[in-house]
Amino acid sequence: MAGYVIVNDAITDEAVFAEFRARIAATVEAHGGRYLVRGGATEVIDGEWRPDRIVILEFDNVDRARAWLNSPEYAELREIRRKSANASVVIVEGV
């Protein structure tokens, strides 16, 4: 069953975030993930949530998604993201 990582980024420092953006895709691919959504336009239909920048990644399963999130490669980039954005990150099991 697929595992998905869903991220909502509110970028606070575009210059610093640019380094994260330039390096993150290689780590996703190295762990077998792929982008389904990477910051496209959003439209709120119902509710109060006003997302900023949505990213959805697909992995073969939740364990692979978690392995990427806990990898040394991602740990370094996580710190860059934390300096340049406020993010919410969740893992969701697919159907």
Side-chain angles (χ1 to χ4, degrees), residues 5 9 16-17 19-21 23-24 27 65-87 89 91:
V5 176
D9 279 320
V16 174
F17 194 81
E19 179 181 358
F20 175 85
R21 185 180 283 132
R23 296 174 53 196
I24 194 66
T27 70
R66 192 173 291 115
W68 171 68
L69 286 167
N70 292 320
S71 71
E73 303 89 358
Y74 182 72
E76 178 184 351
L77 296 178
R78 179 187 300 122
E79 292 309 310
I80 294 170
R81 191 203 70 225
R82 286 179 175 164
K83 292 177 186 174
S84 61
N86 297 315
V89 181
I91 295 176

Side-chain angles (χ1 to χ4, degrees), residues 19-77:
E19 179 181 358
F20 175 85
R21 185 180 283 132
R23 296 174 53 196
I24 194 66
T27 70
V28 171
E29 292 167 12
H31 286 268
R34 70 183 185 107
Y35 285 92
L36 300 179
V37 174
R38 194 172 188 188
T42 60
E43 178 182 358
V44 176
I45 304 302
D46 281 317
E48 301 300 317
W49 183 33
R50 299 291 181 247
D52 295 288
R53 179 179 179 273
I54 300 295
V55 176
I56 302 175
L57 304 166
E58 180 182 48
F59 292 84
D60 288 342
N61 54 56
V62 169
D63 290 338
R64 294 285 304 262
R66 192 173 291 115
W68 171 68
L69 286 167
N70 292 320
S71 71
E73 303 89 358
Y74 182 72
E76 178 184 351
L77 296 178

